[in-house]
């Protein structure tokens, strides 16, 4: 009897392992067909508030939009959270940065899982307000993804890759940011974080070309990151950076006040893609995020010094990652007294925690909203159909 029971138990375990990814995929598909259309339809309904309500109406519109956008990002983060994919933070404390002015966020890029992992970390900042106000710079290919319409409505910017398009794309980015700056100035939108991946692509795709470029130009040889590209960061700084006065942590609405250097590391140097994040194919994993913060007025604007400054940040990232992959931990800061730093390094790791009850509530709210809009559209289509029949 015991062998039979043991065999049945093993069979049940294998059946569950096969069924769980399918169940998770079904949940993600359900989220996509409820959350994304609901977000778009709510914003369509609220357009008169934005267009005809003046500055006050526009500000209310963007607050509502940010709240719904944050809920959508929470749904994405919950896919990994439910699979045991958590985040631990190291390095500088971001409390002052979250509470005062906009920030440019520089992130190394290894795989598609970087985005939901970073979202998980940012959702825990300022009650999720950082995520609600964030603008993402992403490859143009994402414009055509299921989330592309949401990003476009939120005000994210899609960059078309390639040397032939670089000048036109940077000019378009400057116009996009200038429009956002006017919204900040008029009080229509709050200062936000601008997230970009300066490497311009995934590590595995760009490493060889980056190392070849470094050899030809006597630049640092990097293994765990690639040499960053200057264009987008320079446009952001020149368009949005506030004055030269040191930033005040207690006052918001002051333009771009900070630069946050984010280094992401995965155990055993195994990046996680979005498919793994969705299906939960990897055992529970802790993704590690290291922060260094700088006052934006310390960052040069001219091409050569800014290039040197960016290269130095990525040289430091490479050293941080080499230490992490060798020891399993980021090193303590050796330069806590550096003048350009705006917040102290308090070590780590600091586990990021999300409220599971809140995540469940967001899911239920999204489901209820999707059902409501389905019923509304069904009723409207029925009215149109009956009207057509009556005319005929």
């Amino acid at each position: 009897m015991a062998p039979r029971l043991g065999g049945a138990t093993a069979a049940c375990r294998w059946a569950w392992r096969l069924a769980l990814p399918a169940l998770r995929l079904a949940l993600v598909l359900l989220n996509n067909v409820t959350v994304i259309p609901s977000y778009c339809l709510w914003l369509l309904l609220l357009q008169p508030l934005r267009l005809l309500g003046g500055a006050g109406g526009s500000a209310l519109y963007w607050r509502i939009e940010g709240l719904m956008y944050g809920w959508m990002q929470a749904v994405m983060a919950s896919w990994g959270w439910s699979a045991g994919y958590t985040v631990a933070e190291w390095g500088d404390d971001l409390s002052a940065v979250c509470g005062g002015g906009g920030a440019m966020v520089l992130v190394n890029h290894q795989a598609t899982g970087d985005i939901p992992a970073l979202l998980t970390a940012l959702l825990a900042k300022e009650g999720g307000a950082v995520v609600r106000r964030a603008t993402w710079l992403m490859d143009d290919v994402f414009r055509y993804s299921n989330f592309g319409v949401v990003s476009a409505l939120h005000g994210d910017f899609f960059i078309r890759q390639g040397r032939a398009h670089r000048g036109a794309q940077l000019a378009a980015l400057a116009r996009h940011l200038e429009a956002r700056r006017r919204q900040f100035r008029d009080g229509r939108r709050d200062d936000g974080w601008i997230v970009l991946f300066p490497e311009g692509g995934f590590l595995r795709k760009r490493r060889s070309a980056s190392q070849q470029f470094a050899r030809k130009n006597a630049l640092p040889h990097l293994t765990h990151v690639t040499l960053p590209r200057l264009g987008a960061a320079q446009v952001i700084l020149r368009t949005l950076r506030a004055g030269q006065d040191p930033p005040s942590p207690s006052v918001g609405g002051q333009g771009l006040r900070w630069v946050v250097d984010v280094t992401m590391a995965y155990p055993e140097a195994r990046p996680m893609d979005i498919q793994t994040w969705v299906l939960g194919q990897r055992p529970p994993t802790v993704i590690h995020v290291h922060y260094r913060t700088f006052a934006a007025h310390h960052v040069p604007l001219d091409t050569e010094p800014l290039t040197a400054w960016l290269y130095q940040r990525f040289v430091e990232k490479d050293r941080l990652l080499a230490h992490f992959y060798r020891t399993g931990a980021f090193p303590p800061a050796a330069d806590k007294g550096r003048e350009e730093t705006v917040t102290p390094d308090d070590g780590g790791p600091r586990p990021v925690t999300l409220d599971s009850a809140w995540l469940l509530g967001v899911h239920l709210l999204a489901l209820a909203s999707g059902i409501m809009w389905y019923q509304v559209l069904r009723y409207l289509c029925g009215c149109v159909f009956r009207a057509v029949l009556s005319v005929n």
Side-chain angles (χ1 to χ4, degrees):
M1 182 63 68
R4 290 184 180 179
L5 288 176
T9 302
C12 289
R13 284 199 297 267
W14 276 106
W16 176 245
R17 289 177 184 175
L18 293 174
L20 184 57
L23 292 173
R24 292 179 59 85
L25 180 60
L27 174 63
V28 171
L29 292 175
L30 178 63
N31 288 153
N32 276 272
V33 300
T34 56
V35 176
I36 294 176
S38 293
Y39 170 89
C40 297
L41 290 168
W42 279 117
L43 291 194
L44 180 64
L45 186 67
L46 292 171
Q47 286 305 308
L49 181 64
R50 180 177 72 90
L51 299 174
L52 305 175
S58 181
L60 178 59
Y61 168 87
W62 286 114
R63 280 197 293 271
I64 297 172
E65 185 279 335
L67 187 63
M68 293 190 295
Y69 183 80
W71 289 345
M72 296 186 63
Q73 304 291 36
V75 168
M76 183 186 296
S78 72
W79 301 337
W81 184 259
S82 61
Y85 304 146
T86 58
V87 174
E89 297 180 317
W90 303 71
D92 292 355
D93 176 18
L94 298 187
S95 299
V97 179
C98 293
M104 179 175 70
V105 184
L106 309 173
V107 193
N108 62 309
H109 208 9
Q110 301 177 67
T112 49
D114 295 345
I115 295 175
L118 184 59
L119 280 174
T120 300
L122 296 183
L123 277 168
K125 303 289 182 292
E126 203 182 357
V130 169
V131 167
R132 296 195 293 270
R133 298 197 302 262
T135 299
W136 295 74
L137 271 61
M138 60 189 75
D139 193 288
D140 191 65
V141 69
F142 288 102
R143 184 195 303 270
Y144 309 103
S145 69
N146 60 333
F147 205 73
V149 63
V150 173
S151 295
L153 290 172
H154 180 68
D156 296 333
F157 187 81
F158 303 96
I159 297 180
R160 189 175 182 183
Q161 300 289 349
R163 187 183 300 272
H165 310 290
R166 189 169 301 165
Q169 289 295 288
L170 293 179
L173 174 61
R175 292 192 296 270
H176 182 83
L177 294 175
E178 179 60 31
R180 292 293 299 271
R181 190 185 68 81
R182 289 195 297 269
Q183 291 176 331
F184 299 153
R185 183 191 60 204
D186 298 341
R188 296 172 184 265
R189 299 187 75 170
D190 295 327
D191 289 332
W193 288 24
I194 301 177
V195 184
L196 69 154
F197 300 92
E199 292 164 295
F202 297 138
L203 173 65
R204 68 179 185 276
K205 294 183 177 180
R206 293 210 60 244
R207 178 159 43 196
S208 177
S210 175
Q211 291 175 345
Q212 184 178 6
F213 178 81
R215 285 194 298 270
K216 289 182 178 179
N217 295 275
L219 295 171
H221 178 86
L222 304 178
T223 302
H224 306 293
V225 295
T226 66
L227 290 170
R229 295 174 177 176
L230 175 70
Q234 188 175 42
V235 169
I236 292 168
L237 287 166
R238 287 182 171 178
T239 306
L240 297 181
R241 198 177 77 171
Q244 297 297 318
D245 295 334
S248 170
S250 61
V251 180
Q254 304 178 57
L256 188 72
R257 307 293 291 185
W258 321 97
V259 176
V260 181
D261 185 26
V262 179
T263 303
M264 301 190 65
Y266 297 85
E268 302 176 357
R270 294 177 59 209
M272 185 178 296
D273 56 30
I274 193 66
Q275 292 87 349
T276 301
W277 188 270
V278 167
L279 300 178
Q281 296 169 312
R282 190 178 297 184
T285 302
V286 179
I287 302 164
H288 298 263
V289 182
H290 184 279
Y291 304 119
R292 294 185 75 207
T293 52
F294 303 88
H297 72 276
H298 280 298
V299 181
L301 295 181
D302 293 335
T303 298
E304 288 190 9
L306 178 56
T307 299
W309 189 90
L310 277 175
Y311 281 1
Q312 183 58 33
R313 300 289 75 78
F314 276 75
V315 168
E316 292 165 358
K317 284 178 180 290
D318 199 64
R319 293 171 182 167
L320 285 171
L321 289 168
H323 188 281
F324 179 87
Y325 295 141
R326 187 173 63 252
T327 66
F330 285 113
D335 54 351
K336 287 187 178 181
R338 61 189 191 273
E339 291 183 358
E340 72 273 20
T341 305
V342 295
T343 58
D345 184 323
D346 59 357
R350 305 181 296 274
V352 172
T353 58
L354 298 179
D355 188 340
S356 297
W358 174 68
L359 292 176
L360 177 61
V362 169
H363 274 272
L364 294 176
L365 184 62
L367 179 61
S369 179
I371 293 173
M372 184 206 76
W373 278 112
Y374 170 76
Q375 296 295 340
V376 169
L377 292 176
R378 182 182 178 186
Y379 173 77
L380 292 177
C381 289
C383 291
V384 172
F385 183 71
R386 287 190 295 270
V388 172
L389 288 180
S390 65
V391 170
N392 293 335

